[in-house]
Amino acid sequence: MAGRILIADNVPTNRIILKVKLASAFYDVSQATTGTATLAQARAERPNLILLDVDLGDMSGFETCARLKADPLTAHIPVAILTPAQNPEAKIAALKAGADEVLSKPLDELTLTARVRALMRASATSEELRRRNETARALGFSEAQGQYETPGKIALIGTTTEEAMSWRAGLKGMVHDEIAIARADHLLETIYHGEIADLYVISTRAGGDGLRLISDLRAREATRGAGIVVVHGPQDRREALMALDLGANDLIARGADPEEMALRLRSQMRRKKETDLLKLTLDEGLRLATRDKLTGLYNRHYALPHLDKIAREARAAGQHFALMLIDIDRFKSVNDTWGHAMGDAVLIEVAKRLADNLRSMDLVARYGGEEFLICMPMTSLMEARAVAERLRAGICASPVATAPDTTPIGVSVSIGLAMGGDQGAATPDVDTLLAIADRALYAAKAEGRNQVTLGSYAA
């Protein structure tokens, strides 16, 4: 099925007609006859979209929508309210109740399916981000701090500058975001120079080709997640529905009440900021999942799959890469003498010196305890030995920390080096290379520490 839709209407004929139209598009449709039943089914079924009639018998569709939006379990589900034709008061009431969309009766199938596709797309994005966010929290990552109250930026692109100015005048006092008027023929240039809006309000006739502008906005990384609201006239109905399929989030009829426009823009801005927050939380979760909390280097969980990727690409390209395991000599004595806080300070400084002396393309990770892993793609044996010696010398050249009594704390490191990549049929896999580097590391320690030892395979 393409998604789950809950239809709520106390008139059986209305429910049946809607179900037939939606089932023909292969949506999984369930039905509710009252507001109370709608609330219960929404919590139990978690549909991707809810369609509400204004009259549900025991309560209005407006009240039902408000309750759905107030419940944390159902607040994220898009809600569309079906209102009588030519009833702007009902449309405003629906938007004030938190509806994501308002559909006027009678519903033609083309408009219904286009609107449903747009709402289902928004639902799928929100649900996927929410799912990843919940996984991140389950793994112990804290939720990112949101800035819901921070004003956003809205760009108005009218058929003419005068039309955009009339929109801005109508929104005055009802929208607290920054509002800018933009020209369709200069919009992509301003985006290229970093002037990005959260929402774009576009006339279907903007610059002669509003649809192309929507496609351009969705094709660019900087604006791919922006909200897009299309203003259209009765003669532009087909273009408006095409705009939804091209990625527009909402439609507004030209000449609509400014309050309706303000409510729709506030709804889209809220959804945009929620999506941004979820993405921020996901990015932070990924950062925490791949980074060592103390040193900021990549952790072992990230390093091993990345090392495997480097090895595969090196074999495919016929290139060599270097693998090093680095261990701080006599680190236990640092902890025993100065305490674990100073031991942490030593680890942080050693990590910094390693990272500062490597290329951006090189992998440097905390492998565990006082041990670090480095992988250098496209590196010859001669280059790898020179870098390893430079790293060793750079760490022991000056103290890495200062004790509370001002005693300088110096350490040295031992390094085990192995070479991988294009070595014919005998090319070792990653596990073998790690074992070679590990044996070389222990040989360096056994031979007096503070030195680089080449693994026997690479020799």
Side-chain angles (χ1 to χ4, degrees), residues 102-358:
V102 183
L103 302 174
S104 296
K105 298 177 181 177
L107 293 172
D108 69 273
E109 193 163 349
L110 189 62
T111 299
L112 173 66
T113 53
R115 293 279 194 168
V116 165
R117 283 194 297 270
L119 289 167
M120 294 291 273
R121 187 170 61 244
S123 173
T125 300
S126 176
E127 191 61 31
E128 177 61 19
L129 287 168
R130 193 174 302 277
R131 189 179 301 115
R132 294 183 185 183
N133 186 33
E134 289 173 356
T135 300
R137 288 205 306 270
L139 292 171
F141 309 140
S142 59
E143 187 167 352
Q145 296 300 308
Q147 297 294 328
Y148 282 107
E149 301 306 317
T150 304
K153 182 175 181 179
I154 301 172
L156 306 179
I157 304 101
T159 305
T160 63
T161 301
E162 289 72 22
E163 181 180 41
M165 290 176 67
S166 70
W167 295 344
R168 184 170 65 180
L171 294 170
K172 187 175 181 179
M174 291 191 287
V175 173
H176 302 295
D177 303 291
E178 176 189 349
I179 299 178
I181 293 175
R183 286 175 48 182
D185 55 348
H186 287 175
L187 184 62
L188 299 182
E189 180 183 352
T190 62
I191 291 170
Y192 177 80
H193 291 294
E195 296 180 31
I196 311 298
D198 296 291
L199 298 183
Y200 292 90
V201 181
I202 303 173
S203 168
T204 49
R205 297 193 297 265
D209 194 354
L211 295 181
R212 179 190 55 78
L213 199 55
I214 294 168
S215 297
D216 282 333
L217 290 172
R218 285 291 178 249
R220 284 162 169 74
E221 180 66 30
T223 55
R224 190 166 296 152
I228 299 176
V229 178
V230 171
V231 179
H232 67 97
Q235 71 276 20
D236 305 323
R237 174 176 167 274
R238 185 170 295 275
E239 287 83 355
L241 297 181
M242 288 176 61
L244 288 175
D245 284 334
L246 287 173
N249 303 96
D250 200 0
L251 303 177
I252 301 177
R254 184 170 283 108
D257 189 311
E259 186 177 10
E260 179 188 345
M261 178 177 276
L263 288 167
R264 288 184 181 274
L265 293 182
R266 290 211 296 264
S267 175
Q268 291 301 324
M269 185 65 76
R270 184 171 58 249
R271 184 175 289 276
K272 169 66 165 56
K273 290 194 173 186
E274 180 191 47
T275 301
D276 287 346
L277 177 62
L278 289 171
K279 287 180 178 178
L280 180 63
T281 304
L282 175 59
D283 290 343
E284 179 65 7
L286 290 173
R287 188 189 69 80
L288 292 172
T290 61
R291 295 283 181 172
D292 173 58
K293 291 181 180 180
L294 178 65
T295 64
L297 299 180
Y298 286 114
N299 58 24
R300 182 179 185 135
H301 180 71
Y302 173 88
L304 292 180
H306 192 72
L307 175 59
D308 190 57
K309 183 174 183 293
I310 291 173
R312 290 197 309 271
E313 291 178 354
R315 284 194 294 270
Q319 297 170 340
H320 293 91
F321 66 93
L323 175 65
M324 303 177 203
L325 288 179
I326 302 174
D327 190 84
I328 300 176
D329 296 328
R330 298 186 174 89
F331 182 72
K332 184 176 182 299
S333 66
V334 174
N335 283 331
D336 292 345
T337 304
W338 305 108
H340 288 280
M342 292 310 303
D344 287 348
V346 168
L347 287 169
I348 292 170
E349 179 59 23
V350 169
K352 181 178 183 302
R353 294 188 188 185
L354 292 175
D356 287 348
N357 282 279
L358 292 166

Side-chain angles (χ1 to χ4, degrees), residues 36-90:
T36 302
T38 301
L39 297 175
Q41 286 180 233
R43 288 177 63 93
E45 298 173 9
R46 304 287 186 88
N48 303 106
L49 172 63
I50 300 173
L51 300 178
L52 300 177
D53 190 71
V54 291
D55 182 9
L56 296 177
D58 59 342
M59 67 180 79
S60 70
F62 310 135
E63 181 182 352
T64 305
C65 179
R67 291 194 185 187
L68 288 166
K69 293 300 181 179
D71 185 341
L73 287 178
T74 57
H76 66 283
I77 302 173
V79 175
I81 295 182
L82 282 60
T83 65
Q86 305 303 318
N87 191 331
E89 293 80 10

